[in-house]
Amino acid sequence: MREKNRGLALFTYLVFLFLLGPLLIISITSFEGGSILKFPPEEFSFRWYINIFDVQMFLTTFKTSIIVSLAGNLFALLLGVPAAYALSRFEFKGKKIVDAIFVSPILIPGIVLGFSFLRYIVGVYQLPIYTALFIGHTVIMLPFIIRVISSSLSNFDFSIEEAAESLGAGKIRTFFTVVLPNIKSGIIAAVMIAFLESFNNVDISVFMTGPGVSTFPIQMLTYVENYFDPTIAAISVLLMVITAFFMFMVERLMGLSYFTKR
């Protein structure tokens, strides 16, 4: 029995090493002082972290990604909160179909979804690039908004809402004064997860960008094609830290149990 436990523990450590090893190598490589990406580094330096802020395209595309992610997140929230409430509160014909439609952007491969957006949003309707990016990122954020908020609503006692209505509060007032305050942690967590999904997205953005307009991840790919210095490693470390912080906040707000119930 002990040998089996030791074998299982060894296998678990190997899996963690396989998953975390590349991240550790990238983190160490980002402090290379030379002009070529190499492991192990020959000297320790913050040179390439400083270089991030010296490359103008990184700053420009970072701003673009932030604006698109925040704008799309806001619109996805305006659509997702009522949708999640309706799916959690009411029973109606075709509910499973509607739920499946909202989840479909997660199930459809990103390349297929991105090409579809390029074909219709850009090709047929000929919308501006920023508008196309906004629509595309709203669509990919909407499922995360709905699923997380629906998970939060699954633990909400709707009898409280009914009690408020029985005391004379209207449905809209009850929704804003009773329902929303009780699921605010779920809303914040949904916003964080959706923001990360949008900001780090590549497969949709690569089809939606055009001359003079790009997102931060796409600019990183372009930089790698032309340069082989540790700048991208430094950016990757910063993005890992930001992602870890966001996920820590989500865990503190909701806990992993919320995501395993549905």
Side-chain angles (χ1 to χ4, degrees):
M1 189 67 179
R2 290 182 178 179
E3 292 181 357
K4 290 183 178 180
N5 292 337
R6 290 176 181 176
L8 181 60
L10 177 61
F11 178 76
T12 303
Y13 290 139
L14 290 175
V15 170
F16 274 103
L17 180 62
F18 176 77
L19 294 175
L20 300 179
L23 303 182
L24 180 61
I25 292 175
I26 289 295
S27 300
I28 296 175
T29 305
S30 67
F31 295 102
E32 165 64 41
S35 58
I36 299 177
L37 187 68
K38 64 177 68 173
F39 180 84
E42 295 181 354
E43 55 181 306
F44 183 88
S45 174
F46 287 96
R47 170 187 176 185
W48 302 108
Y49 285 91
I50 299 174
N51 187 57
I52 297 173
F53 302 96
D54 293 333
V55 180
Q56 183 60 39
M57 285 307 299
F58 283 148
L59 302 179
T60 302
T61 54
F62 181 82
K63 181 180 178 180
T64 300
S65 291
I66 290 292
I67 293 174
V68 171
S69 298
L70 291 178
N73 207 325
L74 177 60
F75 194 65
L77 197 63
L78 293 176
L79 296 175
V81 172
Y85 175 78
L87 291 171
S88 301
R89 183 72 173 87
F90 306 109
E91 293 293 334
F92 52 89
K93 187 176 181 180
K95 177 180 177 179
K96 292 184 178 180
I97 297 177
V98 173
D99 191 25
I101 292 174
F102 281 129
V103 178
S104 60
I106 300 178
L107 305 178
I108 299 174
I111 294 179
V112 175
L113 195 62
F115 179 77
S116 300
F117 288 157
L118 175 65
R119 175 68 178 83
Y120 292 99
I121 296 178
V122 178
V124 176
Y125 298 104
Q126 297 183 349
L127 296 178
I129 294 177
Y130 278 107
T131 305
L133 271 174
F134 169 74
I135 295 174
H137 281 246
T138 299
V139 170
I140 63 175
M141 283 190 281
L142 190 58
F144 295 93
I145 294 288
I146 292 177
R147 300 309 293 176
V148 175
I149 294 178
S150 294
S151 297
S152 185
L153 284 169
S154 66
N155 286 336
F156 175 70
D157 187 359
F158 286 102
S159 63
I160 301 175
E161 180 186 23
E162 295 172 356
E165 292 179 1
S166 67
L167 293 174
K171 290 185 178 296
I172 296 179
R173 182 181 178 185
T174 301
F175 179 77
F176 282 100
T177 59
V178 176
V179 179
L180 285 185
N182 280 279
I183 62 170
K184 61 181 179 181
S185 60
I187 294 176
I188 296 173
V191 168
M192 289 183 175
I193 294 174
F195 177 83
L196 287 177
E197 172 63 21
S198 172
F199 185 85
N200 295 322
N201 182 269
V202 174
D203 43 15
I204 301 295
S205 300
V206 73
F207 288 98
M208 297 289 98
T209 53
V213 179
S214 184
T215 60
F216 193 65
I218 303 303
Q219 183 59 37
M220 291 175 63
L221 292 176
T222 303
Y223 190 88
V224 170
E225 292 176 356
N226 298 284
Y227 303 94
F228 197 65
D229 57 52
T231 301
I232 296 301
I235 295 176
S236 300
V237 172
L238 294 180
L239 292 179
M240 283 190 288
V241 171
I242 293 173
T243 301
F245 172 76
F246 271 58
M247 297 312 299
F248 172 77
M249 293 302 298
V250 170
E251 167 62 19
R252 294 289 294 176
L253 287 169
M254 298 188 68
L256 294 176
S257 60
Y258 273 80
F259 304 99
T260 59
K261 291 179 180 179
R262 296 183 63 84

